[in-house]
C-alpha cells in the first residue's frame, strides 16, 4: 500500500505525484474515510462519502476541468502534516503569528 502525504511541504514528497494541473487529490485515509488534499497545502478535509469529497474539491477549484484527481486505489492519503505544525522557533525570519 502506498502512502501519500499531500498537505504543505509534504506534497513534494508524495510517493505518486498528482496530475500536472491538478490541485486536489481525492482518496481514502488509513481508516477508510474519504479525504481531499490540496497539493498546495491550503485546504482539505475528511468526508463521509466520495460524492461529498468530490463536490467539495470541485467547488473549491471553481469547477476547473482537471483540477481534481483521484488517488490510486492502493494509495493511502494522510493529512498528518496539517496536524503537526512547524514550531514557531523554526519559522522563517519575518513570519509571525496573527
Amino acid at each position: 500500500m502506498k502512502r501519500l502525504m499531500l498537505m504543505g511541504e509534504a506534497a513534494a514528497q508524495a510517493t505518486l505525484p498528482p496530475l500536472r494541473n491538478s490541485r486536489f487529490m481525492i482518496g481514502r485515509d488509513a481508516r477508510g474515510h474519504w479525504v481531499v488534499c490540496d497539493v498546495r497545502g491550503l485546504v482539505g478535509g475528511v468526508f463521509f462519502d466520495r460524492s461529498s469529497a468530490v463536490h467539495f474539491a470541485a467547488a473549491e477549484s471553481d469547477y476547473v476541468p482537471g483540477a481534481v484527481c483521484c488517488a490510486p486505489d492502493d494509495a493511502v492519503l494522510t493529512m498528518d502534516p496539517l496536524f503537526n505544525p512547524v514550531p514557531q522557533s523554526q519559522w522563517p525570519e519575518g513570519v509571525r503569528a496573527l
Side-chain angles (χ1 to χ4, degrees):
M1 194 173 294
K2 297 176 176 89
R3 183 177 175 95
L4 298 178
M5 297 175 67
L6 292 173
M7 296 299 291
E9 292 180 23
Q13 301 170 4
T15 305
L16 297 173
L19 298 176
R20 187 170 289 151
N21 295 323
S22 295
R23 177 171 176 199
F24 291 99
M25 183 170 285
I26 298 172
R28 290 185 180 251
D29 66 9
R31 294 183 176 170
H33 302 118
W34 286 98
V35 176
V36 175
C37 295
D38 175 358
V39 297
R40 298 177 191 165
L42 301 176
V43 67
V46 179
F47 297 87
F48 179 74
D49 57 28
R50 184 178 184 274
S51 64
S52 297
V54 170
H55 176 78
F56 171 81
E60 285 294 313
S61 63
D62 293 325
Y63 302 95
V64 172
V68 179
C69 67
C70 291
D73 290 338
D74 64 342
V76 176
L77 300 185
T78 180
M79 295 187 355
D80 288 347
L82 181 64
F83 299 107
N84 295 315
V86 175
Q88 192 170 358
S89 62
Q90 295 178 13
W91 289 3
E93 188 175 327
V95 174
R96 59 186 173 86
L98 298 177

